[in-house]
Amino acid sequence: KTIKLWKISERDKRPEGYNLKEEDGRYRDPNTVTTLRVPVLRPMDLMVEASPRRVFANAHTYHINSISVNSDHETYLSADDLRINLWHLEITDRSFNIVDIKPANMEELTEVITAAEFHPDQCNTFVYSSSKGTIRLCDMRASALCDQHTKMFEEPEDPNNRSFFSEIISSISDVKFSHSGRYMMTRDYLSVKIWDLNMETRPVETYQVHEYLRSKLCSLYENDCIFDKFECCWNGNDSVVMTGSYNNFFRMFDRDYRQDVTFEASRENSKPRSVLKPRKISTGGKRKKDEISVDSLDFNKKILHTAWHPLDNIIAVATTNNLYIFQDKLN
Amino acid sequence: MSSTTAMEVNIEARRILAVSISKLYASRTQRGGLRLHRSLLLSLVMKSARDIYHSSRESEALSGAQSTPEEPMDTSSTPELPERQPAPLSEKNSSETAVEESDNKVEDYDLDTTEDKENLSPARQSRKRRGKASAAPDFLPNKRARLEPGEERYAAPLTSCRVGAGESLAILSLNQIIPAF
């Protein structure tokens, strides 16, 4: 429930040759100094340092799920299950509450906020997603408290897919604006949806991440996997979207060419300079060679976090204990 | 719906309810504090399971079962469930207060197993009121403890309570039932 701003810096040089200090830091007796020298910078092993610069505390009662810096680079929002607060980066002891969906009687609670993000260009606009599968777009110019949304994006539920777990799998785990600001992407348990900000009634594109899990929802509920929160991301020119799955698989969907591909992030498949081979999951009865059957998927190996470099084709993919960085094949 | 598939759905619904209750119970002792989103999703699954369970029982009753639709709490049917005490869900209603406080609430209720459906109003039926505290497994003892002394606070004709097995049990809201177990 606390937010901290950190400065990350790299250090690959260090000064050597102080007059009053030994190399190990002990002070020299000034009487032993007979000559003076100018310290010089010598290379050292790269060190990455993180130092906390701001601590923003005591503004959230529930667990924070999102932080988003505004395009004005002065303010940012933080969202917990029921409230969204607006902060100034320089002011740590105060924040403004801009969304509050806490009901007067907690027994009436029907949905929580699951993710929130500022628009990439319009500093007055932000969206937040809910556990019911809706996304609300709010304009901070309309009022101080943005409980009244400007737009609400919701797709009607497919009655054929109704099950015990319909509510859980429609809960949105991540929402991301495209770089252009024209679209936004949401991730729910089984799919990725692309929404045009001008159309609230349904998404313009839907991609199935792992539809073969739909018949396994009961087991996934029992082993808690159905509560996993997957993130999603856009590539630099918004033509490809990426998200994670189980068995250390991650998926990319090319919006222009209508193609999708599955890759696996694992040590065995990821020798340096080797090219990732697309993976296939066999859903039908017959399993072809090199295909992986759904029952052999490891649900403890999940990729929840992925990121795409804003300009180049370099991606970062996080498994449980490792971070993988992949890039375009070099010729 | 044929009676066999209704039975299967019935069994499935009860199993899911049992799993959900054990998850709720486990979440009390978890580190990191109350996870509101997860508790909400669990309660929604329970409500789904309860609704589907009741509708499958209705169709079972309609497809020729002898038993009267208005069966009281069938505590004998799933003996494993009432053992899961105390109530983890009462804490959802006061998510900002300590868990110990909700423990005390549980102890205060006395077990009232008599059926009193006549005095329960459909106005409190949870169909629309999709609150977190609204799934009521019918195989748990009926706890009226949360009713105020003046039960007529919900004014509704008594006859409208008799709307069938599914509806009458749906009237009981979770905040009544769950604190007791």
Side-chain angles (χ1 to χ4, degrees), chain A residues 1 61-63 81-83 102 105-114 130-132 162-168 171-172 218-224 226-227 229, chain B residues 9 12-13 15-16 19-21 23 30 32-38 40-42 44-46 48-50 52-53 92-96 129-133 146 175:
Chain A
K1 298 169 186 169
T61 314
Y62 302 95
H63 297 299
D81 290 324
L82 298 177
R83 298 192 178 99
K102 184 177 181 204
N105 182 359
M106 278 299 274
E107 291 173 22
E108 309 281 330
L109 182 73
T110 57
E111 67 182 325
V112 297
I113 297 170
T114 53
S130 82
S131 54
K132 271 191 175 166
R162 189 96 185 82
S163 76
F164 293 106
F165 308 104
S166 298
E167 281 102 353
I168 298 193
S171 176
I172 293 175
C218 198
S219 324
L220 294 165
Y221 179 66
E222 286 173 38
N223 66 14
D224 274 357
I226 208 173
F227 298 103
K229 297 189 184 173
Chain B
V9 168
E12 181 78 357
R15 193 164 76 84
I16 289 174
V19 168
S20 309
I21 290 169
K23 284 189 192 297
Q30 241 170 18
L34 172 70
R35 284 150 71 182
L36 194 65
H37 185 197
R38 189 184 147 97
L40 176 65
L41 293 177
L42 282 174
L44 289 174
V45 168
M46 290 180 71
S48 248
R50 180 207 54 174
I52 293 173
Y53 174 70
K92 294 203 312 265
N93 302 336
S94 53
S95 55
E96 292 178 291
R129 178 176 172 265
R130 293 174 54 85
K132 284 178 60 173
R146 283 265 188 132
N175 58 346

Side-chain angles (χ1 to χ4, degrees), chain A residues 276-295:
Chain A
L276 274 181
K277 203 175 63 149
R279 316 291 274 161
K280 278 202 89 60
I281 293 103
S282 74
T283 49
K286 286 184 156 223
R287 188 171 78 88
K288 301 199 192 75
K289 186 171 105 76
D290 280 354
E291 280 188 355
I292 313 224
S293 76
V294 177
D295 296 313

Side-chain angles (χ1 to χ4, degrees), chain A residues 84-101:
Chain A
I84 302 180
N85 293 331
L86 181 71
W87 303 81
H88 192 283
L89 282 163
E90 301 296 323
I91 299 171
T92 58
D93 59 356
R94 258 172 302 152
S95 66
F96 290 101
N97 176 243
I98 51 178
V99 172
D100 188 339
I101 63 167

Side-chain angles (χ1 to χ4, degrees), chain A residues 164 221, chain B residues 10-24 42-43 45-51 53-54 81 84 135-140 174 178 181:
Chain A
F164 293 106
Y221 179 66
Chain B
N10 199 312
I11 293 171
E12 181 78 357
R14 291 219 303 242
R15 193 164 76 84
I16 289 174
L17 273 165
V19 168
S20 309
I21 290 169
S22 70
K23 284 189 192 297
L24 277 163
L42 282 174
S43 71
V45 168
M46 290 180 71
K47 184 182 185 301
S48 248
R50 180 207 54 174
D51 293 347
Y53 174 70
H54 286 318
L81 282 165
R84 299 200 187 277
D138 69 340
F139 31 74
L140 295 170
L174 189 64
I178 297 299
F181 75 87

